[in-house]
Amino acid sequence: MDAEISCQGSMGEWFRLERNPDSDVLAVVFSHVSEQPGRFSFYGSFRDVAVNKLFVNTPCNGWYRDGVPGLGGDVDSAAGGMRILMQQVAPRTVVCIGNSMGAYAALLFGVLINADRILAIGPETLVDQPGSRSRGFLAGRSPPAFYADLLPVLSRPAADRQTSILIGESDPVDLECACRVAHLPGMGLRSLRGVGHEVPALLHRFGAWRPLIRGFVRDGGLPAMLPLEGRILESGDAADALLEGRRLRLAGDRRAARTRLGHCLALYPDADLAHDEIGIIEREEGAFAKAEAAHRLALRLAPDRAQYSLHLAQALEAQGRFGEALAVYDQVCALEPGNRFLGASRDKARGRLQDTAQAAWGTPGLFQPGLFKPGLLQKDDTPATSAPPLV
């Protein structure tokens, strides 16, 4: 029977060690944001993984800057507490796994406790950057200064450490954070096309999540082909061109941005984010029909991306096609009713357009059934609160 050691205090349980005397492997699983004390990310996913397991959480969505209660009140002391627990288990192999905030922790603590294998899904390798989830959750609190940038940590020499990073190509923060460490020895990068930050939920939808976890814990391998496997990281400098084009667009240099985005698409036509960025440029330049076409192409490549749907609705509104625009807002909000940003955008649009659109609702051809499919929606304009629960 497995033995269990946990830390419980007045605020709840922050780590849990489950022993398996028949295994010489320790899997350390780091929680993502918004896990309450006593709950741990992917606890159910590891239920049937017959190894020693250490589940770890941290208070206040603080990107582990305040350590782990019961193990240590900062990063270094928490790493020391983990090493003490490791001495009790005496594993031959240590595996660190995490998603989002937990992926940052898996990379950081994986180095500090000298793990053999690390699987980081959607990690920020540079914390508190504009548009990042950590900036939203840290809310003005400073990240741990020495560990805000993981590049120096991950550059430390390691004999045989295997590090795997898995991202969705549609999330620009995740893509940039992966690219900046891609050159490091022992680093393996994989991507999924048309997918944003919530990679585990997508893999779960395809029945690939638990087999991936079991395989990685067992021998460090990932499936030869993942669902929606992408190739942007293997297509020359397509990823760099996409990220640079987006930066140029945000800086207001639309001409240079279009050139770089076009270069990306010449190398990798499946870059849905590049099509969407071009649509934004067209809309800013008043070419609303071209913007619509670009956003529809982005949606065909990534039908679950709410941000692209919002951009499509804006392009339709700019053309005076108010009924269609409202239909797009309503369809997207119906897919994810809990997304407050989408709801607020829909309500604002309804206030602007409803009177004008009244006569248009009955016009044939306004609705296009099948344009949107149920699935995952990426919330890019508000910090992601948590990955969908997996059991």
Side-chain angles (χ1 to χ4, degrees):
M1 180 179 295
D2 292 356
E4 181 177 307
I5 300 173
S6 64
C7 168
Q8 292 190 359
S10 59
M11 296 181 64
E13 181 185 20
W14 293 100
F15 74 87
R16 182 181 301 170
L17 175 63
E18 297 183 352
R19 300 283 299 274
N20 185 333
D22 297 324
S23 173
D24 60 2
V25 175
L26 172 64
V28 187
V29 186
F30 295 90
S31 290
H32 52 59
V33 297
S34 299
E35 291 286 17
Q36 297 301 312
R39 296 183 62 85
F40 301 97
S41 298
F42 309 132
Y43 187 81
S45 299
F46 278 82
R47 184 178 294 115
D48 299 326
V49 181
V51 299
N52 300 283
K53 292 166 277 194
L54 174 59
F55 297 95
V56 182
N57 196 4
T58 191
C60 304
N61 296 329
W63 251 251
Y64 288 83
R65 63 192 294 276
D66 298 319
V68 178
L71 293 179
D74 57 35
V75 169
D76 290 306
S77 59
M82 292 179 198
R83 287 192 290 268
I84 292 173
L85 290 179
M86 289 167 58
Q87 290 175 355
Q88 299 178 36
V89 178
R92 294 188 60 180
T93 303
V94 177
V95 182
C96 291
I97 296 174
N99 173 56
S100 192
M101 181 181 74
Y104 164 86
L107 291 173
L108 173 57
F109 288 102
V111 173
L112 296 181
I113 67 175
N114 197 28
D116 300 283
R117 300 195 289 269
I118 302 170
L119 175 60
I121 305 168
E124 290 184 26
T125 59
L126 184 61
V127 174
D128 201 28
Q129 295 304 294
S132 68
R133 291 163 185 84
S134 61
R135 170 160 292 190
F137 282 107
L138 289 171
R141 296 175 290 165
S142 60
F146 183 69
Y147 297 121
D149 187 352
L150 291 186
L151 184 56
V153 179
L154 296 173
S155 299
R156 296 178 185 179
D160 297 311
R161 181 176 302 122
Q162 173 189 346
T163 303
S164 297
I165 291 179
L166 181 57
I167 63 165
E169 295 178 353
S170 305
D171 190 291
V173 172
D174 288 355
L175 181 60
E176 184 158 16
C177 284
C179 287
R180 65 191 301 273
V181 298
H183 64 285
L184 296 177
M187 184 71 65
L189 270 59
R190 302 278 291 274
S191 64
L192 306 184
R193 67 183 185 278
V195 180
H197 187 62
E198 295 171 355
V199 169
L202 183 281
L203 294 173
H204 186 70
R205 193 172 83 180
F206 280 89
W209 171 246
R210 291 196 182 191
L212 181 147
I213 290 297
R214 287 194 297 268
F216 189 83
V217 171
R218 181 181 63 247
D219 57 20
L222 294 177
M225 181 62 67
L226 294 167
L228 302 180
E229 181 92 30
R231 300 296 181 196
I232 193 169
L233 298 169
E234 304 168 17
S235 301
D237 64 343
D240 290 335
L242 169 56
L243 294 169
E244 184 183 2
R246 187 171 185 272
R247 284 193 292 268
L248 289 166
R249 196 269 299 171
L250 291 170
D253 191 346
R254 292 193 290 265
R255 181 175 180 180
R258 190 192 297 272
T259 298
R260 295 304 288 153
L261 294 167
H263 177 69
C264 168
L265 290 172
L267 295 171
Y268 187 66
D270 288 341
D272 53 278
L273 182 58
H275 289 291
D276 187 67
E277 288 288 327
I278 288 175
I280 294 172
I281 293 172
E282 299 288 8
R283 181 157 44 88
E284 290 175 344
E285 294 181 343
F288 303 126
K290 290 182 178 180
E292 176 192 351
H295 294 317
R296 288 192 186 279
L297 181 51
L299 276 168
R300 282 198 292 273
L301 292 168
D304 295 325
R305 296 286 288 167
Q307 188 72 6
Y308 300 169
S309 298
L310 288 178
H311 294 161
L312 172 61
Q314 291 164 355
L316 292 169
E317 180 180 342
Q319 295 177 72
R321 293 156 62 185
F322 305 131
E324 289 176 88
L326 285 172
V328 172
Y329 282 119
D330 285 339
Q331 287 172 322
V332 175
C333 288
L335 290 175
E336 190 165 323
N339 188 322
R340 289 178 293 179
F341 175 76
L342 292 179
S345 299
R346 187 264 316 275
D347 293 343
K348 289 178 183 178
R350 183 176 288 146
R352 292 193 306 268
L353 307 178
Q354 196 163 31
D355 291 341
T356 310
Q358 282 295 323
W361 285 103
T363 303
L366 282 182
F367 298 97
Q368 300 182 41
L371 177 60
F372 302 98
K373 298 188 293 185
L376 308 174
L377 294 177
Q378 180 69 31
K379 314 178 187 88
D380 282 342
D381 285 70
T382 55
T385 56
S386 176
L390 299 181
V391 296

